[in-house]
Amino acid sequence: MEKENAKNPRNRIYLLTTLCVLFWGLLFYFHFVLLGGNLVSESISLRSNPIKIESFHPSSDPLVQNNPTNALISNEANKSISKDFVDTEVNNERTLMSNRKINVGDIEKPHEFMFMKALRTIDDKNDPCGGKYIYVHDLPSRFNDDMLKECKSLSLWTNMCKFTTNAGLGPPLENVDGVFSNTGWYATNQFAVDVIFNNRMKQYECLTNDSSLAAAIFVPFYAGFDIARYLWGYNISTRDAASLELVDWLMKRPEWKIMNGRDHFLVAGRITWDFRRLTENENDWGSKLLFLPAAKNMSMLVVESSPWNANDFAIPYPTYFHPASDADVFAWQDRMRKLKREYLFSFAGAPRPDNPKSIRGQIIDECKKTKVCKLLECDFGESKCHSPDSIMKMFQSSLFCLQPQGDSYTRRSAFDSMLAGCIPVFFHPGSAYTQYTWHLPKNYSSYSVFIPEKDVRKNGFSIEKRLREISPEQVKIMRETVINLIPKLIYADPRSKLETLRDAFDTSVQAVIDKVTRLRKNIIEGRTEYDNFIEENSWKFALLEEGQREVGVHEWDPFFSKPKEGEADFDSSVDAGKNSWKNEQRSRAT
């Protein structure tokens, strides 16, 4: 009995110890597991909610990859979670949601944008193509190569077959009178940019088969050649057919879903008005390609853009010079610097008697009255005006080259004249300044002279007097600026490659890449590129300097007054398109 009584106190101690351990165990379980589980659930719930960026909804937009929530739960379960860790995660998520802004390098799933892989290549210093990759769609041949096989149908007035030779440069030009260089000169058609650009793209050094790496996506559709076949004598169904088929094909592609086409671009070597039919009236002009909803997301590069629309961008008309090396360009520039120019100014063109707004008649009249002006009158039957040799010889002999509006705002002649080192004189800002903002300085007075059309219409106004007011020193500076611009205004031979110089193709592609990159970063940051963007003021926004976000009253507002309800975008855009056949007839090689 004495031994049993001695054991009882010890048993009671064991019992009390066990109860104490159980109590504290339950307390810790309640605190860390039950309460902690709620915090983990809260964290997971926050992570699963999509980030709302203005009107942009990642939960329904393919720009964001939505990973399954259970994958997140699995990842969290594998972590050793403490209360401090959970609290930190919750606070971080709340901060992220309140700021609604993401740093490119810090994005975590499921907020991973599908273009993030492409953006990250920009920071890869070991990749010479980082941030410059281009993915090219492999379109069915009916959208490009088949058109070249039927080249006789590409123009009602011109047999385009010879102009599609030599990678789109056309037949070589002989240097009989010593006006050209011995190599690199071709009888290039002004509407051949489609095929020239596509062939240059085939030689682009940063092509990729992985669209997730692409800084931009190229659509090799010969839009200009397509519409040229059907502009005259065909119904609107025929004119729109290829465009509708194209967007249908593109929208089914996985590459389209990355940004709904906002990273896509294509080229058309015609003026924008050929692709902006406003109605379904059979008598209305052109196709409606640029008004298709899908096309509004893409960037279309044309030789003349609309000042009131945001989905087209102007690139230079092709000239006759397509160098195969840097040395060819440098030699030509040096030659233009050394030329003696006997004429103060010159003009190559035809009057527009049917257009009361045209100032060509006044220009021709003044040129005929003075010995300091060289004139080439271009009209039917006048072969010299359409001879590359005659045109370039005249421009090389002139200090200034007059560039009034043609059938539309722009002219190929402007680029031929600058190639000759001749200072262009423009009479409407839509002829160059609001057009080629990727290729020409925004400080237009550094390379050109601007004389408003209204001044030319005034009685007693003299273009000669106005040009003589510019000092010889200033003329020399301006001419040097023009000559230095030459590389960016020409398309190099697609079968060769320039080493250090960037031509019109390189400049255009880089501008598209920059545009897409800015858009992607703005999407991530939840902001727009501009404040209070209004599409009809697109021409103003294109003139803003880097960092500027708003536009206001501009000196050129009177030149781009808002079109009236129901009228075409450009007060004579329809006429410009319909009359372009005259321009094509005049451009026929003779």
Side-chain angles (χ1 to χ4, degrees):
M1 290 294 296
E2 189 173 339
K3 289 183 178 179
E4 287 181 23
N5 291 336
K7 292 180 179 179
N8 287 337
R10 186 177 300 173
N11 290 338
R12 283 195 291 271
I13 291 173
Y14 288 151
L15 178 61
L16 289 173
T17 301
T18 301
L19 290 174
C20 183
V21 170
L22 181 61
F23 171 79
W24 284 106
L26 290 172
L27 184 61
F28 275 94
Y29 175 82
F30 178 80
H31 183 75
F32 286 106
V33 176
L34 295 184
L35 291 181
N38 290 336
L39 288 171
V40 172
S41 298
E42 182 181 359
S43 176
I44 293 173
S45 176
L46 282 170
R47 286 177 177 269
S48 301
N49 289 331
I51 297 175
K52 184 178 180 181
I53 300 179
E54 296 181 355
S55 61
F56 178 73
H57 300 283
S59 59
S60 61
D61 196 295
L63 289 177
V64 179
Q65 296 174 340
N66 292 313
N67 294 323
T69 304
N70 60 356
L72 272 173
I73 297 175
S74 175
N75 289 338
E76 296 292 344
N78 289 332
K79 293 180 180 178
S80 176
I81 302 177
S82 67
K83 182 177 185 302
D84 290 339
F85 171 80
V86 173
D87 288 342
T88 301
E89 287 293 285
V90 172
N91 289 333
N92 287 343
E93 291 289 348
R94 285 172 175 163
T95 301
L96 179 64
M97 294 297 290
S98 64
N99 289 342
R100 293 186 179 182
K101 184 176 289 188
I102 312 171
N103 293 323
V104 174
D106 298 334
I107 289 187
E108 295 183 77
K109 296 178 180 180
H111 310 309
E112 179 85 356
F113 291 89
M114 294 176 69
F115 50 71
M116 287 306 305
K117 186 176 179 181
L119 279 183
R120 290 190 180 107
T121 67
I122 298 174
D123 299 323
D124 186 353
K125 305 304 180 184
N126 296 320
D127 185 357
C129 288
K132 297 189 294 183
Y133 285 108
I134 297 291
Y135 178 87
V136 180
H137 274 298
D138 185 15
L139 296 181
S141 60
R142 67 180 182 276
F143 293 118
N144 40 51
D145 290 343
D146 287 354
M147 296 185 202
L148 300 185
K149 294 176 183 177
E150 301 174 359
C151 52
K152 290 183 179 180
S153 68
L154 295 179
S155 173
L156 182 62
W157 319 107
T158 305
N159 182 353
M160 290 293 292
C161 293
K162 68 176 181 179
F163 293 111
T164 58
T165 60
N166 293 309
L169 306 183
L173 289 172
E174 295 183 4
N175 191 24
V176 177
D177 297 327
V179 176
F180 313 125
S181 311
N182 290 329
T183 59
W185 289 80
Y186 298 82
T188 306
N189 186 276
Q190 67 173 342
F191 300 118
V193 170
D194 301 57
V195 65
I196 294 174
F197 204 97
N198 189 31
N199 284 322
R200 285 282 282 112
M201 183 62 76
K202 292 175 181 178
Q203 303 300 323
Y204 184 66
E205 64 273 15
C206 292
L207 295 178
T208 179
N209 291 323
D210 183 355
S211 61
S212 69
L213 292 175
I217 296 177
F218 180 58
V219 182
F221 172 47
Y222 292 161
F225 285 170
D226 170 59
I227 191 58
R229 299 180 293 179
Y230 306 123
L231 280 173
W232 299 273
Y234 291 87
N235 59 32
I236 59 175
S237 296
T238 302
R239 284 180 260 157
D240 292 337
S243 298
L244 292 171
E245 290 177 17
L246 175 73
V247 297
D248 180 67
W249 188 92
L250 288 172
M251 292 176 69
K252 293 177 181 177
R253 300 290 301 173
E255 295 83 11
W256 181 269
K257 295 178 175 61
I258 296 175
M259 293 185 71
N260 286 332
R262 284 172 283 182
D263 53 356
H264 284 50
F265 71 106
L266 67 160
V267 173
R270 299 189 70 90
I271 60 177
T272 190
W273 317 112
D274 289 339
F275 309 97
R276 292 192 177 279
R277 193 184 71 247
L278 292 171
T279 73
E280 296 302 298
N281 188 325
E282 293 289 348
N283 294 324
D284 206 349
W285 180 257
S287 77
K288 61 180 180 181
L289 171 59
L290 282 172
F291 284 134
L292 296 176
K296 287 184 177 181
N297 280 356
M298 295 189 285
S299 298
M300 186 157 165
L301 313 188
V302 290
V303 293
E304 176 178 315
S305 63
S306 164
W308 306 290
N309 297 98
N311 61 333
D312 58 357
F313 303 86
I315 60 175
Y317 285 87
T319 65
Y320 303 110
F321 185 40
H322 305 282
S325 67
D326 290 10
D328 292 343
V329 181
F330 295 143
W332 179 257
Q333 288 176 302
D334 288 341
R335 181 177 170 184
M336 293 304 99
R337 291 186 179 99
K338 297 174 182 177
L339 286 177
K340 292 184 178 180
R341 301 174 185 265
E342 57 182 304
Y343 296 103
L344 177 64
F345 62 105
S346 62
F347 174 63
R352 295 291 188 270
D354 297 333
N355 182 359
K357 295 183 179 181
S358 176
I359 60 171
R360 288 186 169 212
Q362 291 95 319
I363 289 175
I364 292 173
D365 289 342
E366 179 172 348
C367 195
K368 287 180 177 179
K369 294 176 182 178
T370 177
K371 295 181 179 180
V372 297
C373 179
K374 175 67 175 177
L375 176 66
L376 277 180
E377 291 189 81
C378 307
D379 216 333
F380 301 106
E382 179 60 58
S383 61
K384 278 190 176 182
C385 190
H386 310 298
S387 163
D389 185 283
S390 299
I391 292 173
M392 293 304 296
K393 185 176 182 179
M394 181 189 72
F395 289 154
Q396 290 175 29
S397 66
S398 308
L399 290 174
F400 298 95
C401 293
L402 308 187
Q403 302 296 341
Q405 296 185 74
D407 294 308
S408 61
Y409 285 136
T410 62
R411 307 178 72 205
R412 170 187 178 156
S413 174
F415 295 96
D416 290 333
S417 66
M418 286 188 279
L419 175 60
C422 187
I423 300 169
V425 180
F426 296 110
F427 302 86
H428 193 292
S431 294
Y433 307 146
T434 62
Q435 293 283 342
Y436 310 103
T437 56
W438 292 347
H439 301 79
L440 295 174
K442 291 181 180 178
N443 179 14
Y444 62 87
S445 62
S446 67
Y447 70 93
S448 70
V449 177
F450 179 57
I451 302 176
E453 291 176 338
K454 64 179 182 179
D455 290 353
V456 179
R457 296 189 185 100
K458 294 177 181 177
N459 291 330
F461 180 83
S462 170
I463 295 175
E464 177 182 344
K465 181 180 178 181
R466 171 68 180 85
L467 296 178
R468 287 191 182 278
E469 293 173 355
I470 305 173
S471 68
E473 293 77 14
Q474 185 62 27
V475 170
K476 184 177 180 180
I477 294 172
M478 294 171 70
R479 183 168 65 248
E480 181 62 22
T481 301
V482 169
I483 292 173
N484 288 334
L485 285 172
I486 288 175
K488 296 173 67 175
L489 306 180
I490 58 177
Y491 296 91
D493 191 326
R495 299 161 296 185
S496 305
K497 177 177 171 51
L498 301 183
E499 294 299 326
T500 63
L501 298 175
R502 291 158 58 92
D503 70 345
F505 168 86
D506 295 319
T507 303
S508 302
V509 170
Q510 187 59 54
V512 170
I513 289 175
D514 292 343
K515 174 180 177 291
V516 174
T517 300
R518 288 196 306 271
L519 175 60
R520 288 172 170 176
K521 290 181 177 179
N522 286 334
I523 289 173
I524 292 170
E525 295 173 359
R527 58 178 284 172
T528 58
E529 183 167 6
Y530 303 114
D531 295 332
N532 305 313
F533 180 79
I534 300 175
E535 187 170 19
E536 69 186 43
N537 288 333
S538 294
W539 65 272
K540 291 187 182 182
F541 287 96
L543 297 175
L544 292 179
E545 299 294 342
E546 186 175 353
Q548 292 182 314
R549 295 181 53 82
E550 287 192 273
V551 299
V553 177
H554 198 283
E555 61 177 313
W556 292 337
D557 283 337
F559 292 94
F560 302 106
S561 57
K562 183 179 178 180
K564 295 179 181 179
E565 187 71 25
E567 291 186 356
D569 283 357
F570 172 40
D571 58 1
S572 60
S573 63
V574 175
D575 290 335
K578 289 181 177 178
N579 290 334
S580 65
W581 67 271
K582 296 179 182 178
N583 194 33
E584 293 194 38
Q585 280 187 312
R586 295 188 188 102
S587 299
R588 286 183 297 179
T590 56

